[in-house]
Amino acid sequence: MFLTVRDLTMRFGGITALADVSFDVDEGRITGLIGPNGAGKTTCFNCITRFYQPTSGAIAFKGENLLDCPPFRITSRRIARTFQNLELFGTMTVLEHVLVGAHARFGRELDERTATSNALEILEYLGLAGEAHKPVRSLSFGARKMVELGRALAAKPELLLLDEPAAGLGHEEVERLGETIGRIRRDFATTILMVEHHMALVMGISDRIVVLDSGRKLAEGEPSAIRGNRAVIDAYLGTS
Amino acid sequence: MRLALVACGLLVALLPWVIPPFVTFQLTYVAAYAIAILGLVILIGYSGQISLGHGAFMAIGGYTAAILLAGAGIGYWVSIPLAALLAGIVGIGLGFVALRLAGVYLALATLALAASVPPLLKRFKALTGGVQGLSLPSPHAPGPLQPFVSSETWFYYLTWALAAVAFALAWFVLRGRVGRSLRALRDSEIAAVAFGVNPVFYKTLAFGWSAAYAGIAGAIIAIVTAYASPDVYSVALSLELLIGVVIGGLHSFLGAILGGIVVEFLPLWAQKINPAVESVVYGVALILVVIFAPGGLAGGLSRLARALRIQATPRSRPASTIEAISEKSA
Ligand SMILES: Nc1ncnc2c1ncn2[C@@H]1O[C@H](COP(=O)(O)OP(=O)(O)OP(=O)(O)O)[C@@H](O)[C@H]1O
Ligand SMILES: [Mg+2]
């Protein structure tokens, strides 16, 4: 099994953000993680990337326990993420962001020179070649989201976690994003777990979907099955 | 850029032959302060941690050098590195404390450190000479050079050479992954950690490194004045360093040198303006810089240079302050 989440529970004081959530992510697939606001999707990402220590439960990646891994070692395990609310480095250029993404690969795999040429290739791939030396704060919102993606790709992730990549993007940008994510899965041979509220996007490109609601898993299955699932329609799709 | 560096090097090399010995002495101080302030550029500018107590590390460096030189007769070739090492180790220790303290609490803790140093020095008389302090042999040029080079000039050269090494090392280390990691932690610790930057390692590294530089500066000042006393390393010294780095420019190497000039000469200028209100002049200078040149004098200069360049070539690429550093180094 690639990524397995078992009986994951996360409590903050009186709030139970996740309650006994279990699901698997298959290698090479795109898995969508959906659910209403406050369902626990980002909390789930934060548990996987070790920013939160779950109250109970288990997370394993490629058969190895992930919960004994400190947060700064997660990229060495080949897991990279983007953030729902952009977490960019305010004083850095676009290129520097991508170089930070490759931080954990320095030494054995990369030096400054190869890392820079790799980073420029990634920027080219994402259509950001012209912005490489611009400070990130001079970029549009959509371009900033692409920088987040580029930074994550520089880590050469086997598992890529995308937290609402389409949020705040215009119609055309979302369409292009869908294509880009599909291309990334193929060209970077990576598995993707994606949180998204944009139903057309998530239903369109996911192989499998996990639905959370108020910290519980509501349903899991192929997009077509999820679209017709009564409980999911009542809790989420119907209202959105 | 290379040309500018060579020009500066020549200027530094030739100055002692045309200026009075006392000014040579003052410029030695400038170099020492510049090393300490470069430490603050690394700590505050790059890693985003505050210290109001770097005078304490200068004290550690100064007394280490004084005790080794005066007490044990160990030469400054060995004393200065040991001063750096000891200050660096204490700095790493403080770095671990700093991991648990943010913002204003860290400022207070480092201020407390600075305030506790003079009393401690007075207390442990046997080692530190108490209130009187320690006298040490004044530095002479090596035998064959003595007829040509005065001891001021000799130590001027030595100090500027040390500064050159300190700056070159910082440039070399900070231009790549280490500098990026420090800035990443400062700008968004969450994202930096998510991409593998070990926050404990880099933050304590910044503290230890900057403390070591302060230690070198402290040692130089003890050696050049042939004297170490508790009052040299007062809280005021820590605050002057901080004012120096803010006025010089928090994010640039040039700012560290300008900061050194400020720390050495601003009190003298202030006294000339009006001896009664020296600290007011300090305060006004600080406020003017914070309002009109947020990047310090160095930031102001690089903006000016960019403006001139843009006028000359209408389509130059935009540069941030940080980029300005790497441009300068390119
Ligand atoms: N650090 C925290 N401290 C306290 N409560 C938290 C914390 N992080 C998340 N929560 C709570 O956990 C619940 C789930 O939040 P989470 O951010 O995971 O939702 P989400 O599914 O990502 O929602 P959205 O679609 O709005 O992003 C919410 O009630 C939230 O307030
Ligand atoms: Mg969320």
Side-chain angles (χ1 to χ4, degrees), chain A residues 138-159:
Chain A
S138 72
L139 266 51
S140 70
F141 183 76
R144 290 183 197 198
K145 294 207 92 155
M146 281 293 138
V147 174
E148 281 245 346
L149 193 55
R151 181 174 63 185
L153 288 177
K156 255 203 175 175
E158 291 172 25
L159 175 63

Side-chain angles (χ1 to χ4, degrees), chain A residues 51 71-72 75 81 83 87-93 96 99-101 103-104 106 112 133 137 151-152, chain B residues 176-177 180-181 183-184 186-188 190-199 202 317-318 320 322-323:
Chain A
F51 282 107
F72 72 88
T75 52
R81 71 179 287 183
F83 294 88
E87 285 288 347
L88 293 168
F89 308 121
T91 62
M92 288 195 192
T93 64
E96 285 174 318
L99 287 171
V100 173
H103 176 90
F106 272 73
E112 190 76 17
H133 296 285
R137 50 192 155 68
R151 181 174 63 185
Chain B
R177 190 167 82 125
R180 244 183 349 254
S181 301
R183 287 161 52 215
R186 178 199 65 198
D187 288 354
S188 167
I190 289 180
V193 169
F195 287 97
V197 178
N198 181 341
Y202 281 100
R317 72 192 175 88
S320 66
I322 295 295
E323 258 195 320

Side-chain angles (χ1 to χ4, degrees), chain A residues 12 15 17 36-43 52 84 164 197:
Chain A
F12 299 103
I15 301 167
N37 293 117
K41 307 179 295 291
T42 298
T43 302
Y52 292 163
Q84 179 176 354
E164 304 202 12
H197 285 295

